[in-house]
Amino acid sequence: ILNVEQSPQSLHVQEGDSTNFTCSFPSSNFYALHWYRWETAKSPEALFVMTLNGDEKKKGRISATLNTKEGYSYLYIKGSQPEDSATYLCAWPMDSSYKLIFGSGTRLLVRP
Amino acid sequence: DGGITQSPKYLFRKEGQNVTLSCEQNLNHDAMYWYRQDPGQGLRLIYYSQIVNDFQKGDIAEGYSVSREKKESFPLTVTSAQKNPTAFYLCASSIDRSRADTQYFGPGTRLTVL
């Protein structure tokens, strides 16, 4: 079964805490791994597209790592702020048809 | 401003009616997609189109139809054959057909069947 799983399903942290969550995907035939942030009442917004094993990408306080051999990616947020509250989605292109398989997301709530 | 627009934002439908959700993009993207989101689930692909006048079924195409007569437009019709149409619908587009291409999303349409 080709599935993308994210954990935890939800996370509540205090402002200033650092946090991380996981995306697991099939490790065979890897091509790319996408991370999106989806704030309430807004459109999902792309964070990163990762393509190389060992890749590490950074955008402000958010960074992501990739392990294609074992099929996981971590997203880290350093010093969480209330504006980081959102659902974080990862997606994996299944095959040459360019279809993205999305995980169900990690919902992050950062309390002031 | 370049982007993707979807209309309407909220849509109510009576059982047995067909409804069409609009999706327009001015990003000059070749590929467009329709997704459905249900509570607690990831986005599921309904249909996608890689080029004008061509489209393919996604994982949950039953009860839906699409057209791609213009590059910028990819409307989705929810037919009466769709057994559980109440959901949130997202349209997206990408520059090309590469698996590493970022998808850009519209604001979504929430459809409720009364």
Side-chain angles (χ1 to χ4, degrees):
Chain A
I1 294 176
L2 298 174
N3 208 11
V4 175
E5 296 184 353
Q6 293 188 246
S7 62
Q9 193 172 15
S10 67
L11 198 51
H12 292 192
V13 301
Q14 207 64 37
E15 182 175 355
D17 287 350
S18 292
T19 187
N20 66 85
F21 23 94
T22 307
C23 172
S24 301
F25 52 86
S27 55
S28 59
N29 298 319
F30 179 83
Y31 190 88
L33 194 281
H34 297 243
W35 280 102
Y36 290 86
R37 174 171 60 197
W38 193 0
E39 296 177 66
T40 302
K42 294 187 178 179
S43 309
E45 172 196 354
L47 284 173
F48 308 113
V49 180
M50 309 182 78
T51 56
L52 297 174
N53 186 41
D55 223 0
E56 183 169 345
K57 298 221 171 178
K58 193 172 180 182
K59 190 175 185 176
R61 293 178 291 97
I62 303 176
S63 60
T65 60
L66 179 68
N67 183 323
T68 62
K69 295 188 189 314
E70 295 182 38
Y72 65 83
S73 176
Y74 292 139
L75 191 80
Y76 299 91
I77 303 179
K78 186 177 177 182
S80 303
Q81 298 297 308
E83 58 264 31
D84 296 327
S85 297
T87 296
Y88 291 83
L89 300 170
C90 67
W92 173 79
M94 190 175 83
D95 54 29
S96 59
S97 67
Y98 318 107
K99 290 161 49 175
L100 286 181
I101 307 296
F102 280 84
S104 55
T106 292
R107 188 170 179 172
L108 174 68
L109 178 64
V110 182
R111 295 192 215 91
Chain B
D1 283 335
I4 301 180
T5 56
Q6 290 185 243
S7 61
K9 191 172 180 180
Y10 298 97
L11 187 57
F12 297 91
R13 188 194 95 173
K14 292 183 182 177
E15 281 196 40
Q17 285 182 337
N18 291 357
V19 289
T20 297
L21 282 57
S22 167
C23 176
E24 304 277 330
Q25 55 100 356
N26 61 5
L27 300 168
N28 201 32
H29 287 175
D30 281 325
M32 295 187 76
Y33 314 82
W34 273 106
Y35 293 94
R36 169 180 170 141
Q37 195 211 20
D38 295 282
Q41 296 196 38
L43 301 178
R44 292 185 291 165
L45 185 65
I46 305 171
Y47 267 98
Y48 62 105
S49 167
Q50 296 171 345
I51 201 164
V52 174
N53 292 323
D54 185 50
F55 48 83
Q56 284 81 39
K57 292 182 180 180
D59 300 317
I60 54 166
E62 186 175 347
Y64 299 98
S65 65
V66 293
S67 62
R68 186 87 189 276
E69 295 175 5
K70 296 186 294 183
K71 188 175 185 176
E72 58 269 23
S73 179
F74 191 39
L76 174 75
T77 297
V78 184
T79 75
S80 56
Q82 168 48 236
K83 297 200 184 321
N84 186 18
T86 294
F88 188 70
Y89 292 86
L90 275 171
C91 179
S93 70
S94 62
I95 292 174
D96 208 322
R97 302 172 287 170
S98 164
R99 284 169 280 176
D101 274 345
T102 294
Q103 292 189 11
Y104 295 84
F105 288 85
T109 292
R110 186 167 296 282
L111 173 63
T112 303
V113 174
L114 303 172

